[in-house]
Every structure is written in structure tokens, then in C-alpha cells.
Amino acid sequence: MPDLSSFTITRKWPAQHPDRIQLYSLPTPNGVKVSIMLEETGLPYEPHLVSFDRHDQMSPEFLSLSPNNKIPAIIDPNGPDGEPLGLFESGAILVYLATKSGLMMPTDAAGRWHTLQWLMFQMGGIGPMFGQVGFFHKFAGKDYEDKRPRDRYIAESKRLLNVVEQRLEGRAWIMGDDYGIADIATFPWINNLIGFYGAGELVGIDEFVNVKRVLQAFLARPAVVRGLQIPKRQPAA
Ligand SMILES: N[C@@H](CCC(=O)N[C@@H](CS)C(=O)NCC(=O)O)C(=O)O
């Protein structure tokens, strides 16, 4: 059985199954990327809830694995050379799990580079910009009188949605026929923008027919349905 005791995080979140990938997360748009990926690939894993209500993400145990105080993070007990590997940053984790499983990423070199390109586009554009829409439209920033910051992030989000819309013209998924990590990174954020953030009308989501079509296909996948609820927000009693 692998020994994860050198990872301080396991003192706060003990591993019941140290032979499985340990996931430290919360079902937010960045968190569910990894739970969906794990559900899609079938890699065995053990989820642990990192509660923002309890400020778990600021605890020394969590920071020992994820120094940027953000979920998601993982430990793979069976990493490169059979040694345990800890990782934070959802994009890096998706690439790692795709490489480990040989799933959710094209096998040809050009396809792999293009997948990374769309993944970086999500990580650097969609995630940060949509997140700001959340702040200025749903959270503390909604009370600011000056609406220019909100409007700036709405405009930028519309622009980014249009990039995705054009990419999806004539394609089933971002990479064409094959679903993979570019979709797993992108669609939780689009779902969150129009669902939890309630910003669908603000960004004019109805204009983006390809985006809506592919979002529906994404949300219909059984692994996505499961992954969106993992880890459960309330720990089992
Ligand atoms: N670039 C990071 C962003 C992760 C991120 O922003 N996570 C948010 C939840 S969606 C978080 O942990 N926030 C906690 C905090 O800021 O204290 C990634 O993709 O993993």
C-alpha cells in the first residue's frame, strides 16, 4: 500500500484508500473539471471536500499541497516512476490525467498541441474573465455603483463566447469529433456563467447557438452529471 504520510495534507484529510488518486476539491467550475475527468476516465479516486465556508483552502495542510490556496489539487500515489505525485492547477491536472490514462486527448501530435492551445485559452481567458463576471454581477461587486468594471467583463466574456461559437461551427466538440479535456475545461465555466452566476441574458447567450448545442451535449454525459456533484458539499454524517 502506498505511504502518503509525507504529504501534510493527509493529516487533515486522511486517505481511506491510499492506493487511489486523492482529490481535494469542491464542486465549483474549476473543481468539477477534475471530478468530471476522473469520472470519464474511470481512474480510481477518493474525493475530499475542501470547504470554503470553513476556509479550509487557507489551512496549512491544504497550502502544503496547493500554495496558491485554490482547489482543485490531487495526489497520485502511483505517479511517474511509481512515486507519489502532488499537483495543483486544474489545467496541469487535466493534462496529467489524460497522459496517465491515455484518454480524453488526441494521440496525434498536432491534435495534442491544438488541445493544449484550447486548454490554455480556457485557463487564461474564459476562467478569469467569467470569474470576474461572477464577482461584479453576483457577489460583492454587484453593489458597486460604477458598472464599468462589470460591463468590461461582460463584453470580454461575450467576445470569448464568440470565439468558442466560431470554433464549434460544424464541429461536435472543441476538437471536432472527439470529446476531451478542452471540453471538460470549458463547458463547466459556460454552464456556471449562465446557471449559478445568472449572467446568460447579460452575455446574450441565445445568440450562441453552437455553444448552447454543445453545452447540452456536455451536460447529458453521465460522467458530467456525476462529476458536477463531486465532492458532495456536505460531508456524510
Ligand atoms: N487557475 C486555477 C484556479 C482555481 C480557482 O480559482 N479555484 C477557486 C474555486 S473555482 C478557489 O479555490 N478559490 C478559493 C480562494 O480563492 O480562496 C485552476 O484552474 O486550478
Side-chain angles (χ1 to χ4, degrees):
M1 201 55 92
D3 178 12
L4 301 182
S5 61
S6 63
F7 290 87
T8 306
I9 193 166
T10 62
R11 291 182 206 157
K12 190 172 173 72
W13 289 275
Q16 304 298 321
H17 303 280
D19 53 329
R20 301 182 189 169
I21 292 172
Q22 303 292 301
L23 169 66
Y24 307 91
S25 191
L26 186 70
T28 69
N30 287 316
V32 299
K33 290 176 194 172
V34 177
S35 44
I36 290 170
M37 179 66 176
L38 287 162
E39 290 291 325
E40 292 283 8
T41 57
L43 289 166
Y45 73 104
E46 179 178 350
H48 301 278
L49 180 76
V50 178
S51 165
F52 292 173
D53 293 341
R54 293 189 307 243
H55 304 291
D56 280 349
Q57 76 276 28
M58 306 309 285
S59 65
E61 292 90 348
F62 185 74
L63 293 171
S64 69
L65 180 63
S66 183
N68 194 30
N69 64 264
K70 307 273 183 200
I71 59 97
I74 65 165
I75 301 172
D76 181 1
N78 187 18
D81 302 322
E83 294 298 316
L85 178 79
L87 275 182
F88 66 96
E89 278 295 328
S90 61
I93 296 170
L94 288 178
V95 175
Y96 175 72
L97 295 176
T99 306
K100 181 182 175 83
S101 64
L103 297 169
M104 302 289 138
M105 187 138 161
T107 48
D108 67 294
R112 293 178 76 84
W113 287 115
H114 285 142
T115 296
L116 288 179
Q117 163 192 278
W118 286 105
L119 180 65
M120 299 294 160
F121 166 79
Q122 183 285 311
M123 295 295 295
I126 287 184
M129 293 304 116
F130 288 16
Q132 295 301 326
V133 170
F135 179 80
F136 286 104
H137 178 59
K138 185 171 172 86
F139 300 116
K142 75 175 185 308
D143 299 324
Y144 296 179
E145 257 175 54
D146 186 345
K147 296 299 174 204
R148 283 175 297 181
R150 186 201 69 173
D151 292 347
R152 171 177 162 73
Y153 292 116
I154 293 283
E156 183 62 1
S157 298
K158 282 177 93 155
R159 194 189 64 73
L160 291 164
L161 279 170
N162 194 47
V163 175
V164 181
E165 175 72 11
Q166 301 310 315
R167 173 67 188 179
L168 292 174
E169 182 64 41
R171 288 186 175 87
W173 300 104
I174 290 176
M175 287 305 299
D177 291 341
D178 293 328
Y179 165 81
I181 59 171
D183 306 292
I184 293 172
T186 303
F187 286 99
W189 270 106
I190 297 176
N191 186 42
N192 196 66
L193 181 76
I194 63 188
F196 185 56
Y197 290 171
E201 213 171 301
L202 272 179
V203 297
I205 195 68
D206 287 341
E207 294 164 34
F208 302 113
V209 291
N210 292 322
V211 169
K212 285 177 65 179
R213 163 179 59 81
V214 182
L215 176 62
Q216 289 319 312
F218 179 74
L219 294 175
R221 295 181 69 88
V224 172
V225 173
R226 294 194 300 273
L228 286 171
Q229 305 297 330
I230 298 173
K232 288 203 185 325
R233 282 192 179 264
Q234 293 303 323

